[in-house]
Amino acid sequence: KVYECKDNIDFYCMDFLKLEKKIKADYIFLSPPWGGIEYKNSRNYSLKKMVTPNISEIIKKSLSVAKNIMFYLPRNIDIQELAELLYEATESTHIFFDVHLLESANKLKAILLIYGQGYDINSSFDNPKGILYSAKSCKAQFSSTSLMYSFDS
């Protein structure tokens, strides 16, 4: 009501994987369970190990509904693993993310990664110093607002 967009947003409170209605959306927002405070005990939070049901199924279902996915994830997310999951789902040789670091009290709390069809090598990112990562040798540095993973086909 505040932004006068209630007619443009649909909310579904259900098991997403059982959604049979043919819907299309601009974005899917995913915030999988982090596993309570246990997620902090891992150097890299693994979506494959920590998320049930299978995160690959969730990503594939999401991409059947929307071309863009927003992932709200813990600060220690294994971003390379997510890029690999998207590669498996799309077979795209380049995976791009727009990265938003969410801080509070000068501490990194969470990361919002936006993946979608709008991110490609010719895009003009907010930060033109987007970092190119190879899937074989990735060192996550969050000094940029853009990431790209490149996969050998």
Side-chain angles (χ1 to χ4, degrees):
K1 185 175 180 180
V2 174
Y3 296 106
E4 298 180 16
C5 63
K6 69 178 179 129
D7 294 331
N8 297 328
I9 300 174
D10 293 320
F11 292 94
Y12 295 89
C13 184
M14 61 178 294
D15 182 340
F16 179 68
L17 293 175
K18 293 181 180 174
L19 179 69
E20 293 182 21
K21 183 178 177 182
K22 297 289 182 190
I23 62 169
K24 289 294 176 189
D26 296 321
Y27 281 87
I28 295 286
F29 180 85
L30 298 177
S31 181
W34 296 3
I37 60 171
E38 293 299 314
Y39 81 91
K40 294 180 185 179
N41 296 335
S42 175
R43 186 168 191 267
N44 286 322
Y45 177 89
S46 171
L47 290 167
K48 288 180 182 178
K49 293 177 185 172
M50 300 291 286
V51 175
T52 56
N54 184 307
I55 189 65
S56 295
E57 291 178 38
I58 295 170
I59 290 172
K60 287 177 185 173
K61 181 71 170 188
S62 297
L63 290 171
S64 74
V65 173
K67 294 180 179 180
N68 304 291
I69 305 174
M70 300 172 81
F71 296 92
Y72 183 74
L73 300 165
R75 64 181 177 240
N76 57 339
I77 183 68
D78 184 344
I79 297 175
Q80 181 175 345
E81 179 189 63
L82 178 57
E84 290 168 359
L85 287 164
L86 285 164
Y87 168 73
E88 292 167 9
T90 64
E91 298 183 5
S92 174
T93 56
H94 295 89
I95 302 296
F96 296 86
F97 294 110
D98 193 12
V99 180
H100 298 271
L101 305 178
L102 306 170
E103 298 178 340
S104 177
N106 293 323
K107 288 186 177 182
L108 180 60
K109 299 293 183 186
I111 297 175
L112 179 68
L113 294 167
I114 303 172
Y115 165 80
Q117 297 299 313
Y119 301 103
D120 63 36
I121 194 100
N122 298 314
S123 291
S124 58
F125 297 113
D126 291 340
N127 180 351
K129 298 177 185 173
I131 303 172
L132 171 64
Y133 286 90
S134 163
K136 294 179 181 169
S137 61
C138 173
K139 294 181 181 170
Q141 298 174 4
F142 299 108
S143 58
S144 175
T145 58
S146 304
L147 296 176
M148 182 186 89
Y149 285 84
S150 183
F151 293 88
D152 297 330
S153 35

